[in-house]
Structure formats: structure tokens, C-alpha cells
Amino acid sequence: MKKILLTGALGQIGTELTEKLRDVYGVDNVVATDIRETDHPVVNNGHFELLDVTDANAMGEIAKKYQVDTIIHLAALLSATAEAKPLLAWNLNMGGLVNALEVSRELNCQFFTPSSIGAFGPDTPKNQTPQDTIQRPTTMYGVNKVAGELLCDYYHHKFGVDTRGLRFPGLISYVAPPGGGTTDYAVEIYYKAIENGAYTSYINKGTYMDMMYMPDALNAIVNLMEADPANLKHRNSFNVTAMSIEPEMVAAEIRKHIPSFTMDYNVDPVRQGIADSWPDSIDPTAATEEWGFKAEYDLAKMTQDMLTKLKSKLA
Ligand SMILES: NC(=O)c1ccc[n+]([C@@H]2O[C@H](COP(=O)([O-])OP(=O)(O)OC[C@H]3O[C@@H](n4cnc5c(N)ncnc54)[C@H](O)[C@@H]3O)[C@@H](O)[C@H]2O)c1
């Protein structure tokens, strides 16, 4: 990666990834874009352009203007929002992706986009879900992610585009709020623990899902993009995870720092249904073997850091 265009750069991942890429590759070599503009370091501290990813021409113009050689495509509608607005999700998630792939093909750019554990479905093996397995998701988001994984493979085989991707689990972070995913409870719980000492979870106890702390997700993106292509058998959509957790486990870990913390439940049938269709735990062996994936944060280390960072943020 030398000169990088990011889409959806003001979202949960992009906000932190933009800063990391500016640190690693230099401020001048990162071009952040989003459909909206706010008073934010992503906008103020380096190159920023307004871009609607469904506008292929505008994307191509920005890519040419800055002579980028890498596109990191993040703009998408997430799982819970996509279930509420399935047609919008199809148009944004598939339309934006094919535009970004086309610009990458035309300008010979390296390409990255995240998939998700949402690319699995109720027929997928639930525990230690293998890298290559049944993918019959029952959500619009999952349909988009499976189609996206296949489309990225197609652009590699058919056109030689250097496409790469990760199947992210729920990402936990304290900088930007999550954008309407099913795993958002695992972020909200930390905010509410500090603000109210209590949290009402919309995901039921005993519902295991994979999660990862944002610093591990950012390292995984950079490490995969820098990996020697000769070692990549899978390329698109490596399983990556740091922990398989359920709400009671997070609450118990928070109580080690805030003993009075309480949690009750008001289960949201839509998000619970999505969670029930996803794996309990996925197997990241292919990512470990092909490009050395390793997560640094487990639940205990992440909880300590989240609470410390959020306490100063919310003070
Ligand atoms: N956050 C997670 O837990 C998680 C987990 C798995 C996969 N992912 C994937 O990672 C990617 C980024 O996720 P995120 O959590 O940062 O999302 P987010 O919802 O936080 O951010 C998405 C960004 O895209 C922008 N956007 C929306 N419509 C746009 C358009 N038409 N053109 C340009 N920008 C537009 C929004 O303004 C927003 O800033 C998505 O593909 C998502 O599916 C995220």
C-alpha cells in the first residue's frame, strides 16, 4: 500500500483505520471519503473528499485525482439496518462494491473490503466454523456479504485484481459508535456501565458470537494487505476472531472493575433472530497459517482498556 483511498471513512472502522493508515503510510498517502462531512479529525487532519459510493464516476475521478494504488472499501449498511431496509442495503452494499472493484480494475489498484460472520447462516456448522463451509445466510446483509466474497474472488480470477478480505466478527471500540450491527450490544454495554451502572441487553443470555477489539481488527487489515500474495490461498474473506462471548461473560468481566454493575434483558426479536442464525465461534486457522493472523486482546484485556478509555472520553 502506498496511496490509499478509503470509502465510508467516518464509520466505526474507518474513523480509526484512517488515523492508523496516516500513521503508517504518511498523511499525504491516505484519502478519506464518506457520503457525509463532519467536524472530525478524519476530515480535518488530511485529505478528505465527499463521495457517494453508488456514484462510480465520482469514485473514479477521486481515485485518478490522487493517483491511488489501493482502495479500502468500507461504506455499507450493517446487519440490523439492512434487515430494516433490504432494498437500500442491496443497492448500497452491492452497487458500492462493484463500483469500487471496477475502479480497482481500471486503475490497477490493490483492493480490500470486509466481509462478516453474517456471511454464515443457520445451516453453517455452529462451532469452530471452518474457513470453507456451507454459507446460506438468511439475512439481506448475509446475502450481500456472500455475493461480495464471490465477486471479489471473481475480480481476482477474471481480471487479476489483487483483492483481499476478512470475515470480521463483531468489532468493539470506543472511538466511533457502531453503525447498526447485531453485535452492537457489546459496545453499548461498556458505555452504559460507566454512564448508568446498568445495561439492558437486546441480545439474550447464552447467545455466543465472535468479537474482536478494534486495534486487532486494524492490525489484521494492514497485515493482510502487506502479506505476500504467494502465500494467500483464500484471499477474500479470511475468518478472524479474538473471542467467542455471550452477554453474561461481558457483564461478569465488567463487574471485576465496577462491582455494582447490573444487567437485565429486553430481547429484540429481529437482532436475536440474526444472532441465532450466526456461528457461536469461527475458526481462524487459515488466516493464521496464510499470513500470520494473531489477536492481542482477549475479553479481560479488552474490558480493562475499554473501561479506561471510555472513562476519560465520557468524563
Ligand atoms: N463494525 C463491525 O462490527 C463490522 C463487523 C463485520 C463487518 N463489518 C464491515 O465493515 C465495513 C465497515 O463497517 P463500519 O462498522 O465501519 O460501518 P459504519 O456503519 O460504522 O460506517 C459506514 C460508513 O459508510 C458511510 N456511508 C453510508 N452510505 C454511503 C454511501 N452511499 N457512500 C459513501 N459512504 C456511505 C456512512 O456515512 C458511514 O460513515 C462494512 O462493510 C461492514 O459490513 C463491520
Side-chain angles (χ1 to χ4, degrees):
M1 289 195 277
K2 291 186 204 76
K3 193 127 194 176
I4 307 154
L5 172 72
L6 287 114
T7 70
L10 285 168
Q12 188 193 8
I13 298 176
T15 297
E16 294 192 54
L17 184 60
T18 300
E19 292 300 304
K20 180 170 181 101
L21 295 176
R22 284 173 179 165
D23 283 350
V24 174
Y25 299 100
V27 173
D28 204 38
N29 290 322
V30 179
V31 183
T33 71
D34 203 289
I35 196 170
R36 61 199 166 94
E37 190 168 0
T38 56
D39 184 18
H40 190 280
V42 165
V43 176
N44 300 335
N45 294 354
H47 299 297
F48 180 86
E49 298 273 350
L50 278 172
L51 172 65
D52 177 347
V53 294
T54 61
D55 184 342
N57 288 335
M59 194 187 296
E61 288 308 312
I62 293 171
K64 280 182 207 148
K65 174 178 165 187
Y66 289 95
Q67 297 184 307
V68 301
D69 60 17
T70 305
I71 294 182
I72 296 186
H73 177 58
L74 301 175
L77 226 56
L78 271 66
S79 56
T81 318
E83 246 359 66
K85 298 173 184 168
L87 192 61
L88 177 64
W90 177 266
N91 289 335
L92 171 56
N93 294 356
M94 301 316 301
L97 177 61
V98 81
N99 289 343
L101 284 165
E102 269 299 294
V103 173
S104 301
R105 180 180 71 78
E106 280 168 23
L107 302 182
N108 197 22
C109 294
Q110 195 188 26
F111 181 82
F112 173 89
T113 199
S115 185
S116 157
I117 53 171
F120 298 119
D123 304 327
T124 302
K126 258 201 154 356
N127 291 300
Q128 288 301 298
T129 303
Q131 177 67 37
D132 302 308
T133 187
I134 299 165
Q135 289 182 265
R136 305 287 296 175
T138 48
T139 62
M140 175 53 91
Y141 183 69
V143 170
N144 297 164
K145 288 304 187 192
V146 175
E149 291 181 7
L150 294 172
L151 195 60
C152 291
D153 280 347
Y154 180 81
Y155 267 74
H156 176 62
H157 295 309
K158 177 91 176 171
F159 303 120
V161 179
D162 184 1
T163 56
R164 304 184 184 199
L166 300 167
R167 279 185 198 129
F168 275 137
L171 299 180
I172 298 172
S173 67
Y174 58 86
V175 177
T182 301
T183 52
D184 293 3
Y185 90 85
V187 177
E188 292 168 9
I189 191 171
Y190 290 103
Y191 279 83
K192 296 295 175 195
I194 291 169
E195 287 169 346
N196 304 339
Y199 180 62
T200 300
S201 176
Y202 61 82
I203 291 291
N204 213 350
K205 66 172 72 170
T207 308
Y208 283 84
M209 287 184 276
D210 284 284
M211 305 275 177
M212 189 188 279
Y213 199 34
M214 190 60 83
D216 281 331
L218 303 182
N219 283 336
I221 293 172
V222 172
N223 291 343
L224 173 60
M225 293 300 275
E226 294 288 357
D228 181 348
N231 298 332
L232 301 182
K233 295 191 202 87
H234 286 90
R235 285 195 156 267
N236 291 298
S237 311
F238 286 92
N239 284 1
V240 286
T241 181
M243 61 197 93
S244 163
I245 54 175
E246 56 95 18
E248 291 293 321
M249 290 169 70
V250 189
E253 201 57 46
I254 289 173
R255 273 187 212 108
K256 291 179 185 168
H257 305 267
I258 308 172
S260 59
F261 175 69
T262 59
M263 183 167 69
D264 59 7
Y265 291 88
N266 181 13
V267 173
D268 168 16
V270 174
R271 285 178 287 185
Q272 184 65 41
I274 296 173
D276 289 339
S277 77
W278 290 357
D280 288 356
S281 64
I282 62 172
D283 177 6
T285 302
T288 308
E289 289 179 353
E290 293 178 36
W291 51 276
F293 166 72
K294 189 175 180 304
E296 300 293 333
Y297 286 84
D298 61 10
L299 177 59
K301 194 172 169 192
M302 176 181 78
T303 299
Q304 180 152 35
D305 199 58
M306 272 296 277
L307 291 175
T308 308
K309 298 282 171 37
L310 274 180
K311 269 179 197 153
S312 57
K313 179 180 174 177
L314 299 174

